[in-house]
């Protein structure tokens, strides 16, 4: 195939996607930036306002605390699942994978609904506790930080399982055999082989879940209380209640900036290590 | 993997499996809980339900308040799936097989929804579509959903193409097939498993999408998730159990087909 026909074919194959990218993927980001600085007046007014707003600062604090805690916990839980899956035969793994894929692909609304049923004042968990202790127990487990944390972690675990599983599966079997022949106990194998060698997957899982939890919107609005709202809910609040789009846009820019701050070092690290090049 | 069978490592393994089982239960419990409730009575929300009926499904499928959004969602998801497939499949193939100027930039923009928080994208799309005078239209919802479905399609097609033997493609071109003919007669038939699963996932992503939809939906374009989100925020009605079970059944179907086709299953998912 000569060069000009390659370019012609390239135009045919790539232009529809490029057109979409240029019309509906880039402009929204541009519009947010543009709106946040009041258009061509390039004013930093909104950024000064949010920097001195106690509502914003409190929400930022909540967001960071919840994002860090839920992503670390979910990666820990996902690691246990990934190691378990990696030990299974390919056939059993396929079946067990459904147990992770189904929650991953089930609407977040379904999970939030279920958690209001499970964790509610007269919910299943309080019912079981009441029955066990033979008194009426109504622990407040939902519409507060506990509900938010449980719901968010639950939705993050399946996301973290897959990158970690890929890393754990990539570890050469002979390394394990060598270690056990040399007399290493399972705890030591875990500490000196499995964890260090699956670090790329663990970090990818950590980044993905952290990005996802920073932008969490549905879970805090359905399972969190009024004091547990996150930055996304603040964006929605200014957009829908206050109709203050520059403010909503400025908070969005802050969210994007936070993700770049945490994402760039990881991207460089992965590139240097030459892993996951084809991945996101 | 390790061949040692002493009691210490045995106990260790049992402990790991026990932890994993607890986590599996924690992941699945919220899904399982909704199913018996969906067959409960229409007036109370209790677990387990006192008696069983199909009343909630009747309300879901036969009252316009729920049926309208269901059909709206199906229409939008079919359209978003079609656009994402028509644009994403050729692009995924080209990205997997060729190097070209601006490849990183184009791929980066297409994949950006993986790292941009959905609320930020939703606000941006809302501002864009208001500016273009498309607020609340079905087109705006379809295009909004395409932004999240397209990266998945492209990623899954890349993963599928990488596993194909490029020599078949060279062969076809040596024999004189043009790039499009070669793509249609050589690449696409081999890609069928990836095509089916990426189409199903594109449909599911759009069908379940709630954040972008709730920013873009107008009074005449309320999708099922938007309706459900509103219902969950204001009053939790028993019908939601039936809607939840329905959504879960759709997801289960898609997952089973994707696993059966294996090659196309997205092992790295992100919502």
């Amino acid at each position: 195939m000569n060069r000009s026909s390659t370019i012609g074919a390239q135009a045919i194959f790539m232009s529809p996607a490029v057109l979409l990218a240029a019309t509906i993927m880039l402009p929204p980001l541009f519009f947010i930036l543009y709106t946040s600085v009041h258009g061509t007046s390039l004013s930093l007014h909104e950024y000064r306002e949010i920097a001195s707003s106690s509502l914003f600062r409190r929400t930022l604090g909540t967001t960071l605390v919840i994002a860090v805690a839920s992503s670390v916990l979910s990666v820990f839980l996902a690691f246990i699942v990934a190691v378990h899956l990696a030990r299974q035969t390919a056939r059993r793994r396929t079946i067990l994978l459904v147990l992770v894929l189904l929650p991953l692909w089930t609407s977040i609304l379904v999970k939030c609904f279920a958690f209001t049923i499970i964790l509610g004042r007269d919910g299943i968990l309080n019912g079981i506790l009441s029955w066990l202790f033979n008194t009426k127990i109504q622990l407040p487990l939902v519409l507060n930080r506990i509900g938010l944390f449980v719901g968010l972690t639950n939705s993050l675990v399946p996301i973290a399982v897959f990158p970690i599983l890929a890393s754990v599966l990539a570890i050469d079997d002979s390394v394990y055999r060598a270690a056990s022949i040399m007399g290493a106990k399972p705890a030591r194998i875990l500490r000196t082989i499995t964890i260090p060698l699956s670090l790329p997957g663990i970090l990818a899982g950590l980044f993905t879940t952290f990005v996802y939890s920073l932008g969490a919107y549905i879970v805090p609005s359905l399972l969190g209380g009024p004091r547990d709202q996150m930055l996304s809910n603040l964006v929605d609040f200014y957009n829908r209640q206050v109709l203050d789009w520059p403010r909503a846009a400025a908070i969005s820019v802050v969210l994007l900036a936070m993700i770049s701050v945490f994402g760039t070092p990881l991207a460089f690290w992965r590139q240097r290590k030459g892993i996951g090049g084809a991945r996101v | 993997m390790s061949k040692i069978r002493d009691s210490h490592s045995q106990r260790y393994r049992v402990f790991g499996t026990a932890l994993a089982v607890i986590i599996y239960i924690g992941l699945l419990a919220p899904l399982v809980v909704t199913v018996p409730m969906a067959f409960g009575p229409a007036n109370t929300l209790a677990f387990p339900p006192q008696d069983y009926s199909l009343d909630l499904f009747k309300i879901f499928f036969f009252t316009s308040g729920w049926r309208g959004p269901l059909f709206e969602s199906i229409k939008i998801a079919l359209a978003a799936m079609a656009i994402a497939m028509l644009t994403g499949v050729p692009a995924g193939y080209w990205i997997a097989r060729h190097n070209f100027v601006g490849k990183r930039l184009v791929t980066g923009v297409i994949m950006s929804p993986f790292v941009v928080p959905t609320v930020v994208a939703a606000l941006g799309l809302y501002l864009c579509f208001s500016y273009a005078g498309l607020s609340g239209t079905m087109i705006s919802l379809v295009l909004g959903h395409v932004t999240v479905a397209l990266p998945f399609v492209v990623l899954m097609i890349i993963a599928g193409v990488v596993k194909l033997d490029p020599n078949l493609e060279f062969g076809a071109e040596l024999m004189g097939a043009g790039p499009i003919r070669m793509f249609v007669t050589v690449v696409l038939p081999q890609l069928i498993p990836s095509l089916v699963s990426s189409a199903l996932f594109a449909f599911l992503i759009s069908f379940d999408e709630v954040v972008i939809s709730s920013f873009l939906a107008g009074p005449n374009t309320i999708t099922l998730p938007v309706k459900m989100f509103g219902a969950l925020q204001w009053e939790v009605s028993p019908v939601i159990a039936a809607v939840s079970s329905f959504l879960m059944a759709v997801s289960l179907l898609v997952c089973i087909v994707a696993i059966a086709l294996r090659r196309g299953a997205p092992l790295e998912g992100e919502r």
Side-chain angles (χ1 to χ4, degrees):
Chain A
M1 191 159 57
N2 62 37
R3 194 163 163 72
S4 66
S5 84
T6 310
I7 289 174
Q10 181 170 315
I12 294 167
F13 280 84
M14 288 304 298
S15 53
V18 170
L19 189 72
L20 279 185
T23 52
I24 56 171
M25 292 171 119
L26 268 187
L29 298 178
F30 167 77
F31 260 86
I32 282 182
L33 213 58
Y34 184 80
T35 312
S36 77
V37 292
H38 288 271
T40 45
S41 64
L42 290 179
S43 131
L44 292 176
H45 172 75
E46 295 303 331
Y47 294 95
R48 275 195 292 273
E49 284 288 305
I50 57 173
S52 60
S53 144
S54 64
L55 175 64
F56 174 78
R57 285 200 209 162
R58 199 182 70 213
T59 314
L60 179 67
T62 310
T63 306
L64 281 174
V65 168
I66 296 204
V68 169
S70 59
S71 53
V72 168
L73 179 64
S74 61
V75 164
F76 175 71
L77 297 176
F79 181 77
I80 295 172
V81 171
V83 169
H84 177 254
L85 285 173
R87 270 208 305 259
Q88 311 303 314
T89 57
R91 210 186 152 72
R92 282 195 60 180
R93 184 156 59 233
T94 308
I95 298 164
L96 286 171
L97 267 178
V98 182
L99 303 185
V100 185
L101 268 179
L102 181 62
L104 174 67
W105 286 97
T106 296
S107 167
I108 188 84
L109 294 173
V110 174
K111 295 179 209 166
C112 287
F113 169 65
F115 276 117
T116 57
I117 304 296
I118 295 174
L119 302 175
R121 253 173 206 288
D122 296 307
I124 298 172
L125 197 62
N126 276 323
I128 293 174
L129 289 175
S130 305
W131 178 75
L132 278 180
F133 296 102
N134 217 356
T135 67
K136 187 129 185 81
I137 294 178
Q138 289 194 318
L139 294 176
L141 298 171
V142 81
L143 295 179
N144 57 22
R145 200 155 286 206
I146 301 170
L148 167 56
F149 189 61
V150 170
L152 196 55
T153 307
N154 178 276
S155 67
L156 293 176
V157 171
I159 297 175
V161 165
F162 291 101
I164 301 177
L165 179 62
S167 275
V168 177
L169 282 177
I171 301 173
D172 191 344
D173 251 6
S174 52
V175 182
Y176 287 115
R177 265 202 300 279
S180 64
I181 290 167
M182 304 297 239
K185 292 280 182 244
R188 195 187 166 100
I189 293 181
L190 182 73
R191 203 178 64 238
T192 57
I193 297 175
T194 317
I195 292 177
L197 289 182
S198 56
L199 210 54
I202 292 174
L203 286 177
L206 211 50
F207 173 68
T208 314
T209 50
F210 185 68
V211 167
Y212 189 91
S213 52
L214 270 187
Y217 165 72
I218 302 291
V219 181
S221 66
L222 292 179
L223 298 178
R227 295 191 62 86
D228 309 309
Q229 297 304 295
M230 295 173 66
L231 284 180
S232 299
N233 306 96
L234 205 57
V235 170
D236 180 55
F237 170 74
Y238 281 114
N239 173 51
R240 221 177 296 226
Q241 250 84 344
V242 191
L243 305 181
D244 185 347
W245 293 290
R247 185 70 57 88
I251 298 167
S252 302
V253 173
V254 173
L255 255 177
L256 281 177
M258 280 163 64
I259 282 160
S260 335
V261 166
F262 291 105
T264 316
L266 185 77
F268 273 113
W269 184 80
R270 288 174 94 185
Q271 203 160 35
R272 199 165 50 90
K273 290 256 177 176
I275 10 178
R279 299 203 211 117
V280 189
Chain B
M1 285 178 189
S2 56
K3 287 278 188 284
I4 39 167
R5 275 277 174 269
D6 61 292
S7 68
H8 178 82
S9 63
Q10 200 80 295
R11 241 182 302 145
Y12 195 80
R13 181 159 294 194
V14 169
F15 178 66
T17 308
L19 280 181
V21 168
I22 294 172
I23 302 168
Y24 290 129
I25 293 173
L27 289 178
L28 288 176
L31 310 186
V32 174
V33 160
T34 59
V35 178
M37 301 186 72
F39 295 95
N43 41 16
T44 52
L45 200 60
F47 184 91
Q50 302 304 317
D51 48 15
Y52 291 89
S53 70
L54 289 173
D55 292 353
L56 294 175
F57 285 100
K58 281 182 197 147
I59 299 175
F60 175 30
F61 291 122
F62 297 111
T63 55
S64 62
W66 285 101
R67 190 190 159 105
L70 172 64
F71 281 110
E72 193 70 24
S73 276
I74 293 174
K75 274 189 284 182
I76 290 174
L78 286 175
M81 174 186 88
I83 297 177
M85 290 296 286
L86 288 174
T87 55
V89 173
Y93 170 73
W94 201 261
I95 291 171
R97 281 285 187 253
H98 298 266
N99 274 313
F100 52 90
V101 182
K103 177 172 167 174
R104 289 181 76 101
L105 178 71
V106 171
T107 321
V109 174
I110 292 176
M111 299 298 178
S112 66
F114 281 130
V115 288
V116 173
T118 324
V119 167
V120 175
L123 178 70
L125 286 163
Y126 171 77
L127 295 172
C128 263
F129 288 129
S130 314
Y131 181 79
L134 291 169
S135 307
T137 59
M138 198 173 136
I139 301 240
S140 71
L141 279 155
V142 170
L143 290 178
H145 289 185
V146 168
T147 62
V148 273
L150 181 66
F152 270 98
V153 172
V154 172
L155 206 62
M156 287 169 72
I157 295 299
I158 292 178
V161 170
V162 169
K163 292 195 190 96
L164 302 181
D165 180 3
N167 287 323
L168 292 172
E169 295 155 41
F170 291 140
E173 292 196 331
L174 278 180
M175 307 291 246
I180 292 171
R181 180 157 173 201
M182 183 278 290
F183 181 69
V184 173
T185 56
V186 177
V187 178
L188 287 187
Q190 303 182 79
L191 266 186
I192 284 172
S194 301
L195 293 175
V196 173
S197 37
S198 52
L200 286 175
F201 277 110
F203 180 88
L204 186 61
I205 288 168
S206 166
F207 193 69
D208 279 349
E209 211 301 318
V210 54
V211 182
I212 291 177
S213 310
S214 76
F215 272 69
L216 296 182
N220 299 320
T221 47
I222 294 172
T223 64
L224 188 60
V226 172
K227 167 89 181 171
M228 191 176 164
F229 185 40
L232 282 170
Q233 274 176 311
W234 304 119
E235 29 90 53
V236 177
S237 92
V239 188
I240 295 174
V243 182
S244 291
S245 302
F246 175 76
L247 290 180
M248 212 173 74
V250 175
S251 301
L252 183 64
L253 196 72
V254 171
C255 289
I256 287 176
V257 173
I259 288 205
L261 296 169
R262 201 66 188 127
R263 262 206 299 186
L267 286 186
E268 271 178 285
E270 192 181 1
R271 295 292 295 270

